[in-house]
Amino acid sequence: MDLKGRDFLTLKDYTPEEILYLIDLAAELKDKKHRGVVEQPLIGKNVALIFEKTSTRTRCSFEVAAHDLGMGTTYLDPTGSQIGKKESIADTARVLSGMYDGIEYRGFGQAIVEELAEYSSVPVWNGLTNEYHPTQMLADMLTVKEKFGYLKGIKFVYMGDARYNMGNSLMIACAKLGLHYTACTAKEYFPDAELVAQCEEWAKASGGSITLSDNVMEATKDADVLYTDVWVSMGEPDEVWEERIKALSPYRVTSEVMANASKNAIFMHCLPSFHDLKTKIGTQIYEKFGLTEMEVTDEVFESEQSVVFQEAENRMHTIKAVMAATLGAYK
């Protein structure tokens, strides 16, 4: 399959076959990495990494993956470029694509990465926007496939705020690949109706399904995967914490919820997670609201059912697959 020159902005742009190809390529590259096989098919190439929102996993994944493939990287943090400030997005895209072979963007609106891609002559990859997080989806689907051996027919439940990048992207991935996706949350946190309708069409074609539910026990009954994310995303004001805690506390992943799922169910989280008081934000939330845990209990996070660190490692392997495929290293 030839994906050379393609942007990677959202899984809406990719067919189920193309998504599965990238997952399989990531699994192959992971196996080679674990066996110590060194291949550098992109030696001599360079990529620019634009991070308007900082990250541990995304930055490390792109840098290690690029190095493994033989490429150099330039990291541009929120103070390291003039994008959108002194230089327009269009001009930035044209400057960088004259120097680099690929551009990663992690930041705010999807319109920004779309405009970068429009004016860039090299592939542009979405490391996260407010609306979509496609590289995380490949890692998640690879992890599910590693644990169960298949994807089609998996009952996948996402608990929490389903309106933004994680809820949107998981619904798209599940719909395209034939999983049964449920967004389990308060009704005011259900995903956009237009996107739901589009995903329902994809699910009809793939054999999957889309369900929206505010009933925890009904939604999680016999689930294969329980997935959650932090309740307040980077860049949102602190004032929303009180509102989210009040609305989403009933949708915390607890041992009771895990016990309601299938006996082989796994717990997933894209990280970082507020499952204890070992972070500054976690401590601040405790001091203000009295919570020692938020979206997931520490008992579940540290349980044998939790695959969050396998999932985190898979970010690197799947990002490597995206860069390798879109830069023409593998066909």
Side-chain angles (χ1 to χ4, degrees), residues 147 226 253-255 258-259 265-268 275 296-309:
K147 297 302 293 185
L226 294 183
V253 182
T254 65
S255 293
M258 291 299 302
I266 60 174
F267 169 73
M268 300 181 71
H275 59 96
V296 59
T297 63
D298 191 59
E299 183 179 13
V300 170
F301 187 89
E302 297 291 355
S303 71
E304 292 185 359
Q305 291 174 285
S306 175
V307 297
V308 297
F309 297 110

Side-chain angles (χ1 to χ4, degrees), residues 152-184:
K152 202 175 182 70
I154 288 288
K155 184 175 182 181
F156 193 109
V157 180
Y158 176 76
M159 301 178 69
D161 192 340
R163 301 171 298 173
Y164 299 122
N165 46 37
M166 287 305 301
N168 290 344
S169 297
L170 285 168
M171 182 166 62
I172 293 167
C174 289
K176 289 208 166 194
L177 299 181
L179 288 76
H180 299 294
Y181 176 81
T182 297
C184 179

Side-chain angles (χ1 to χ4, degrees), residues 110-121:
Q110 180 73 11
I112 299 173
V113 76
E114 298 278 355
E115 188 173 358
L116 276 172
E118 179 183 354
Y119 287 94
S120 172
S121 59

Side-chain angles (χ1 to χ4, degrees), residues 8 18 38 112 120 122 126 141 202 226 257 292 320 325-326:
F8 190 74
E18 289 168 340
V38 176
I112 299 173
S120 172
V122 299
N126 179 0
M141 293 300 113
W202 287 325
L226 294 183
V257 173
T292 58
K320 187 190 293 186
T326 57

Side-chain angles (χ1 to χ4, degrees), residues 212-284:
L212 308 180
S213 175
D214 62 354
N215 187 306
V216 173
M217 289 297 111
E218 287 182 6
T220 60
K221 182 65 176 174
D222 297 326
D224 298 304
V225 179
L226 294 183
Y227 198 118
T228 193
D229 188 15
V230 294
W231 291 338
V232 177
S233 298
M234 186 184 300
E236 292 190 277
D238 291 342
E239 297 78 59
V240 303
W241 274 110
E242 186 171 3
E243 168 205 323
R244 301 282 171 81
I245 288 171
K246 182 178 179 180
L248 297 176
S249 287
Y251 301 94
R252 175 183 292 118
V253 182
T254 65
S255 293
E256 180 184 12
V257 173
M258 291 299 302
N260 191 51
S262 73
K263 64 178 182 178
N264 296 319
I266 60 174
F267 169 73
M268 300 181 71
H269 194 305
C270 56
L271 301 181
S273 171
F274 298 127
H275 59 96
D276 56 26
L277 300 180
K278 297 177 182 178
T279 63
K280 289 182 180 179
I281 294 178
T283 301
Q284 290 169 2

Side-chain angles (χ1 to χ4, degrees), residues 26-222:
E28 178 184 340
L29 295 174
K30 180 177 181 177
D31 176 66
K32 289 180 178 178
K33 175 88 170 178
H34 285 189
R35 290 190 290 112
V37 176
V38 176
E39 293 180 339
Q40 294 190 315
L42 298 176
I43 195 164
K45 293 186 181 295
N46 295 280
V47 295
L49 309 177
I50 303 172
F51 278 71
E52 291 195 302
K53 287 185 179 180
T54 56
S55 169
T56 299
R57 279 150 301 284
T58 304
R59 177 182 177 177
C60 293
S61 294
F62 269 99
E63 289 190 344
V64 173
H67 175 79
D68 283 356
L69 292 167
M71 296 192 290
T73 61
T74 299
Y75 174 74
L76 299 171
D77 68 15
T79 63
S81 77
Q82 300 298 336
I83 184 170
K85 303 182 187 88
K86 293 182 178 179
E87 190 164 39
S88 70
I89 294 164
D91 288 357
T92 300
R94 287 177 286 192
V95 167
L96 293 180
S97 58
M99 302 178 184
Y100 293 92
D101 301 283
I103 302 169
E104 179 270 352
Y105 173 83
R106 177 185 171 94
F108 297 94
Q110 180 73 11
I112 299 173
V113 76
E114 298 278 355
E115 188 173 358
L116 276 172
E118 179 183 354
Y119 287 94
S120 172
S121 59
V122 299
V124 172
W125 310 299
N126 179 0
L128 174 141
T129 62
N130 294 340
E131 295 89 346
Y132 302 109
H133 199 357
T135 59
Q136 180 70 52
M137 295 309 100
L138 296 182
D140 293 342
M141 293 300 113
L142 174 59
T143 305
V144 172
K145 191 172 183 182
E146 287 175 336
K147 297 302 293 185
F148 293 98
Y150 59 94
L151 292 171
K152 202 175 182 70
I154 288 288
K155 184 175 182 181
F156 193 109
V157 180
Y158 176 76
M159 301 178 69
D161 192 340
R163 301 171 298 173
Y164 299 122
N165 46 37
M166 287 305 301
N168 290 344
S169 297
L170 285 168
M171 182 166 62
I172 293 167
C174 289
K176 289 208 166 194
L177 299 181
L179 288 76
H180 299 294
Y181 176 81
T182 297
C184 179
T185 187
K187 290 180 179 178
E188 61 266 32
Y189 292 92
F190 281 176
D192 176 72
E194 185 176 345
L195 181 60
V196 171
Q198 176 62 77
C199 287
E200 286 175 337
E201 290 301 310
W202 287 325
K204 285 180 184 177
S206 69
S209 64
I210 305 296
T211 302
L212 308 180
S213 175
D214 62 354
N215 187 306
V216 173
M217 289 297 111
E218 287 182 6
T220 60
K221 182 65 176 174
D222 297 326

